[in-house]
Amino acid sequence: MKPALKKFIFTHKKISIASAVFLLLLIFHFCYVHLIPYNALNEFLGRKNSVTIYDRNMRLIQVTSVDDGVRRQYTPLKDIPSEIKAAFIKAEDNRFYDHGGVDYRALLRALKQNTSEMRTVSGASTITMQLARMVSPSARRSLMAKIKDVYNSWRIECRLSKEQILEAYLNSVPFGNNVEGVTSAARYYFNRELTELSQEEIYSLAVIPRNPSRYNPLNSPEHCARAASLLCDKSAEEIEGQLKKITAFEWPFYMPHYVVYLKKHYGEDFGRKITELHLGADLNAHEYIQFQIYTYMEKLHHSRIENAAALAIDNETGAVIVWTGGKNWFDDEHSGQIDGVLVPNQMGSSMKPFLYALALDRGMKTTEVIPDIPMDFGSDEVYMPLNFNNRFNGPVIMRNALASSLNVPAVYTLSKVGVQNYYQCLLKLGFDSLKEGGIRADLGLALGGGEVTLKELVTAFSVFPRDGKYIPLTYEEGEECNPDEVRQIYRPDSARIICSILSDKKARIMGFGFSQTFQTSYPSIFKTGTANQYQNIVALGATDRYTVGVWMGNHSGNTVMGKTGSSVPATIARELLDFLTDKKAGDFKLPENYKRTKVCAVSGMAANSSCPNVTEEFVMKEELESFCKEKCSWHSVKNGKLETVYPAEYQKWVSGDFKNTRIDYSSSPLKIVSPKNNAHFYADDTRNQYQKITVEVTGGASSQEQLEVVIDGGKAQFVERPFIFNIPVRRGKHKLNVTLGEESDVIEFDVE
Ligand SMILES: [Zn+2]
């Protein structure tokens, strides 16, 4: 081989090895930059941002913080004013649109400068490199870190457009003081929207990221102004003069419980898809009611009522207007951060309207007489409700039973409607807590024995002014509720009758006397409830437009002292309605298929001239004629004196404290009304010798006055009318026979 050829081959071999290595490097570079997924970038771009929350009047409720208290609001590039984009490009990276991630000219210059001054390499970072450092931070600023930034900038530049890079940068560049991105910085340092910034402010903003503590316009306006003046044609004095006018801004922190709820409600979208919320809430109303709650509770502090909550919604849209979860978020001693709107509690009588509306739907007449007398219910377990004032009112109609919140009539009505039917109705009304809690669906449901939340209660109560229709809550202004969740719970007429009863100030007298609490200058309905020895006190109110609810009690489980302050929630509920209604509200609609007529409030029959207590009641139009024909048969005037004839089941009640009354025993067959057949009793050993079972027998057509009583086939004993007597408690199964003339009745019961 000729040496020349050899040399040629050798040289080419060298060249080909070199080019192979070069090629490999190139491939590696290409792969690293272009092909290997840049997960950190995806994660960075998908980070959660702050959510800016406004009320219906564009008042700022909160800018939520992301991790570690950082505020970082996101503004799409198209909404960032071009002056701001230009200012940041000028301040940080003049040739941003001309380089591919690295500005070599600037890098060389910086390298020369820095090495000659014996410092570590700094400066010359393009916007892309700064973004790269945010995406993949390095612990130290070293040459290796700089090389890493360069590489990551290339990776970013081949994945994102210049516009996307600028958008990501402007929305995440740190400004110190837990603020990131231009939007939050404009808010924090200047208390302005981006579009409101002056030219001086824009250039001041643009220099802060260089050194947030040195260029903080609040603390060092002179430094900030000097740096900004180099970027624009304003003098440092001019800029400083403007900066000195700024008043410090604090991030608002209103409706904290509600914001926590919304975070949970929107889930993963909160801070990602959703970065701005315009709520239907009214911050003015919230502040007003927060103040009321605070003031009243300070007065009540001796009664151990530690927590309170209020909720107000718009009936038409279901929009939340007020959501006040507690007295004081920062009160750690009394679990201030627990949201009282969402805590399940026994809400007592406030549940009763749901029961009576169902009874109306299922055919119960408004004029039906409901007994308010001592009664026990159920056969397996004896259930004997008392009214809250331990008084019984005898025969009542629904209007008085509901408005005065009587307990026995509610349990009686539930036993007629059926526990399961009512339970299903409550689930349809959105009382999910009853499902989750797995409560015992029993007659206690009539008195609000299940635990439900204020949110559920207010939403359900709003079906009454809404003609029986349920709609779910909505949160954003103008938001339309999910049509799949809208459902007609009650007939419109049933809901309208309930509204008529709950707005009837006269009908409440039996239970509450005349109360100023419910006096409003506009049509309104109210219902209150207490449970667990006043541990929970709740008041619901509504106009045709708004529904409100106020709860008071404590999360600690401490008993509340006595009755103190039990009318306070009602007072606050009324104040809230006053505030929202501005003293104006429409009338509630009247039931279409009913007509009002004069009714005896005792017998529920068409009133005659001697009835002592006459009320106006709705009677179905088609039944009106026959109803009016049959006048009240209980009341009559004899020898100038009013005489009342009650049906047999009222004998025990009448024997209490009434004169000029007579019991019509012959109207019903002989019956042991108490105890019920198959009743269980529990013997109490500690007071055995005093314990007795009271037996009550009604009816019996015979003129004979002596009732024959036989227990367990033993010796007969005789009792006179009224047939109410006691028998001793003995353990075991027992059989009780009673006989009067031709009639007899028998029951079995046992004592454990
Ligand atoms: Zn009458």
Side-chain angles (χ1 to χ4, degrees):
M1 205 182 281
K2 283 182 183 167
L5 186 66
K6 224 175 176 178
K7 193 180 171 195
F8 178 81
I9 292 170
F10 181 72
T11 327
H12 275 255
K13 224 177 189 171
K14 250 162 94 180
I15 290 169
S16 53
I17 289 172
S19 37
V21 168
F22 183 71
L23 202 69
L24 266 171
L25 274 172
L26 213 65
I27 291 171
F28 174 77
H29 172 79
F30 180 86
C31 287
Y32 184 72
V33 170
H34 289 262
L35 298 181
I36 295 177
Y38 193 4
N39 290 333
L41 180 62
N42 296 336
E43 272 169 35
F44 183 86
L45 296 176
R47 283 186 311 173
K48 281 200 173 188
N49 291 295
S50 294
V51 179
T52 311
I53 306 175
Y54 297 96
D55 87 333
R56 54 168 53 193
N57 303 313
M58 278 304 282
R59 279 190 70 191
L60 193 55
I61 294 177
Q62 270 194 39
V63 174
T64 62
S65 61
V66 289
D67 31 284
D68 304 335
V70 167
R71 294 315 198 290
R72 182 175 61 231
Q73 294 158 280
Y74 199 89
T75 306
L77 194 67
K78 65 176 172 51
D79 297 334
I80 297 177
S82 51
E83 294 86 352
I84 294 177
K85 292 181 231 173
F88 275 83
I89 288 173
K90 197 167 178 188
E92 293 295 318
D93 188 359
N94 224 339
R95 302 186 322 117
F96 173 67
Y97 286 104
D98 304 325
H99 61 67
V102 183
D103 185 349
Y104 300 101
R105 243 195 279 172
L107 193 66
L108 271 176
R109 201 183 331 117
L111 214 59
K112 242 188 241 169
Q113 240 170 41
N114 287 332
T115 41
S116 65
E117 286 165 27
M118 299 301 285
R119 285 191 307 175
T120 45
V121 183
S122 69
S125 278
T126 62
I127 282 178
T128 317
M129 283 164 78
Q130 292 183 45
L131 182 63
R133 208 178 302 141
M134 291 178 226
V135 173
S136 314
S138 302
R140 287 192 305 136
R141 280 179 131 193
S142 62
L143 188 64
M144 270 315 286
K146 198 84 181 174
I147 293 170
K148 192 176 124 190
D149 291 347
V150 168
Y151 248 93
N152 284 331
S153 315
W154 287 334
R155 296 171 80 190
I156 290 172
E157 289 272 346
C158 70
R159 283 169 177 81
L160 302 179
S161 70
K162 285 286 183 187
E163 302 296 287
Q164 287 171 313
I165 293 168
L166 189 60
E167 180 172 275
Y169 172 79
L170 290 176
N171 279 300
S172 33
V173 56
F175 283 84
N177 289 304
N178 279 335
V179 171
E180 290 180 6
V182 289
T183 315
S184 296
R187 178 61 67 195
Y188 181 78
Y189 288 111
F190 305 110
N191 192 13
R192 291 195 199 286
E193 306 276 337
L194 287 178
T195 49
E196 296 168 344
L197 292 174
S198 69
Q199 221 199 343
E200 289 86 346
E201 288 163 343
I202 287 175
Y203 282 98
S204 304
L205 189 68
V207 298
I208 302 172
R210 291 181 183 172
N211 187 338
S213 58
R214 182 172 168 78
Y215 297 129
N216 181 335
L218 299 167
N219 301 340
S220 328
E222 66 286 357
H223 289 142
C224 182
R226 204 173 314 130
S229 70
L230 301 175
L231 295 172
C232 62
D233 50 11
K234 305 270 176 187
S235 72
E237 289 72 30
E238 267 178 284
I239 299 175
E240 194 181 335
Q242 277 222 14
L243 296 184
K244 280 185 170 162
K245 286 185 206 153
I246 306 171
T247 45
F249 168 80
E250 264 190 62
W251 296 106
F253 192 70
Y254 297 114
M255 305 183 99
H257 301 91
Y258 187 33
V259 171
V260 168
Y261 170 79
L262 291 172
K263 250 182 219 178
K264 210 172 154 201
H265 173 76
Y266 289 108
E268 282 302 300
D269 286 348
F270 194 86
R272 294 198 171 95
K273 268 188 198 160
I274 297 167
T275 53
E276 201 171 294
L277 275 175
H278 292 269
L279 299 180
D282 182 344
L283 198 46
N284 295 335
H286 163 78
E287 283 188 294
Y288 175 75
I289 223 60
Q290 183 85 69
F291 177 75
Q292 296 291 336
I293 285 177
Y294 198 89
T295 313
Y296 276 108
M297 286 182 71
E298 284 298 299
K299 285 185 203 156
L300 286 175
H301 74 106
H302 58 275
S303 67
R304 287 194 241 163
I305 295 175
E306 310 288 6
N307 302 94
L311 182 66
I313 62 173
D314 185 311
N315 294 336
E316 198 186 318
T317 59
V320 170
I321 307 290
V322 171
W323 181 307
T324 307
K327 174 189 163 201
N328 180 4
W329 173 270
F330 299 103
D331 183 0
D332 288 334
E333 194 189 333
H334 301 117
S335 319
Q337 300 187 14
I338 294 180
D339 189 346
V341 174
L342 296 173
V343 176
N345 283 302
Q346 285 193 5
M347 298 298 195
S349 296
S350 61
M351 302 286 285
K352 283 174 185 161
F354 307 120
L355 172 63
Y356 286 106
L358 181 63
L360 284 168
D361 258 14
R362 297 178 76 88
M364 190 183 219
K365 290 188 169 54
T366 51
T367 52
E368 183 170 333
V369 175
I370 310 172
D372 182 24
I373 53 176
M375 247 197 243
D376 51 35
F377 294 90
S379 54
D380 283 355
E381 274 180 54
V382 179
Y383 184 71
M384 201 171 148
L386 288 173
N387 283 331
F388 72 101
N389 58 5
N390 292 329
R391 258 189 57 192
F392 295 94
N393 299 285
V396 293
I397 55 175
M398 181 187 291
R399 179 168 295 269
N400 295 332
L402 173 57
S404 292
S405 216
L406 305 176
N407 283 341
V408 180
V411 179
Y412 174 88
T413 303
L414 177 56
S415 70
K416 283 191 78 171
V417 165
V419 172
Q420 271 307 318
N421 293 328
Y422 182 46
Y423 181 58
Q424 291 306 322
C425 172
L426 291 177
L427 294 186
K428 273 205 294 184
L429 278 161
F431 285 106
D432 290 344
S433 299
L434 293 178
K435 210 173 357 183
E436 287 157 19
I439 60 123
R440 266 173 54 220
D442 63 16
L443 287 163
L445 221 46
L447 308 181
E451 293 193 338
V452 300
T453 67
L454 186 66
K455 173 175 172 261
E456 293 165 339
L457 193 59
V458 171
T459 314
F461 194 67
S462 69
V463 309
F464 296 119
R466 213 186 282 119
D467 273 357
K469 192 168 78 179
Y470 171 92
I471 67 171
L473 295 187
T474 61
Y475 307 103
E476 287 166 70
E477 209 178 7
E479 179 185 347
E480 283 184 23
C481 65
N482 180 358
D484 296 343
E485 289 182 53
V486 175
R487 44 194 182 248
Q488 191 73 36
I489 308 286
Y490 302 116
R491 286 187 299 125
D493 276 1
S494 304
R496 291 177 183 191
I497 289 171
I498 296 294
C499 286
S500 154
I501 293 174
L502 295 181
S503 60
D504 188 338
K505 293 171 180 81
K506 210 178 123 205
R508 292 193 191 106
I509 295 172
M510 211 179 265
F512 301 102
F514 275 113
S515 170
Q516 288 299 312
T517 315
F518 306 109
Q519 302 297 332
T520 56
S521 56
Y522 45 85
S524 60
I525 60 174
F526 285 98
K527 189 77 199 85
T528 57
T530 53
N532 295 357
Q533 275 79 46
Y534 299 97
Q535 198 170 314
N536 293 300
I537 313 163
V538 70
L540 299 167
T543 61
D544 62 336
R545 178 89 199 275
Y546 299 103
T547 302
V548 305
V550 175
W551 167 85
M552 275 189 181
N554 61 57
H555 301 314
S556 59
N558 283 339
T559 47
V560 171
M561 287 164 107
K563 213 179 155 175
T564 328
S566 62
S567 66
V568 170
T571 306
I572 297 178
R574 197 208 59 222
E575 301 240 16
L576 185 49
L577 273 185
D578 280 352
F579 188 93
L580 295 172
T581 320
D582 200 17
K583 318 288 177 201
K584 287 190 290 281
D587 275 318
F588 293 102
K589 285 179 228 136
L590 295 175
E592 275 177 354
N593 302 305
Y594 290 75
K595 219 177 144 108
R596 261 176 198 272
T597 186
K598 286 204 159 73
V599 168
C600 172
V602 182
S603 71
M605 300 165 95
N608 69 35
S609 56
S610 23
C611 292
N613 186 358
V614 176
T615 181
E616 290 222 315
E617 193 47 87
F618 293 106
V619 174
M620 286 194 88
K621 280 178 184 166
E622 57 196 45
E623 293 169 0
L624 189 64
E625 202 182 329
S626 60
F627 178 84
C628 290
K629 263 185 202 155
E630 209 178 317
K631 298 276 189 237
C632 176
S633 61
W634 295 18
H635 295 116
S636 57
V637 174
K638 283 200 179 134
N639 307 324
K641 275 186 180 170
L642 176 70
E643 192 186 75
T644 311
V645 181
Y646 288 101
E649 68 253 42
Y650 295 102
Q651 66 171 4
K652 185 173 169 186
W653 172 74
V654 166
S655 66
D657 50 11
F658 278 76
K659 283 173 186 166
N660 279 329
T661 52
R662 194 157 58 73
I663 302 295
D664 181 10
Y665 294 115
S666 61
S667 64
S668 59
L670 188 75
K671 184 170 167 44
I672 303 171
V673 292
S674 178
K676 291 271 187 270
N677 195 22
N678 295 322
H680 282 291
F681 291 91
Y682 295 90
D684 179 354
D685 286 328
T686 58
R687 18 172 264 167
N688 197 10
Q689 63 196 111
Y690 304 108
Q691 220 180 340
K692 298 171 201 129
I693 293 169
T694 302
V695 178
E696 186 184 358
V697 181
T698 63
S702 168
S703 57
Q704 203 179 317
E705 287 295 304
Q706 296 242 311
L707 180 76
E708 185 188 296
V709 181
V710 176
I711 301 169
D712 298 331
K715 197 176 157 206
Q717 291 172 304
F718 293 90
V719 183
E720 288 184 3
R721 282 201 196 268
F723 303 141
I724 301 165
F725 52 94
N726 296 318
I727 54 175
V729 168
R730 263 177 277 134
R731 283 205 165 79
K733 278 187 168 298
H734 302 285
K735 195 173 183 178
L736 173 69
N737 286 285
V738 293
T739 310
L740 184 75
E742 303 288 298
E743 293 173 77
S744 69
D745 194 17
V746 59
I747 61 153
E748 289 182 357
F749 62 94
D750 70 72
V751 181
E752 215 176 281

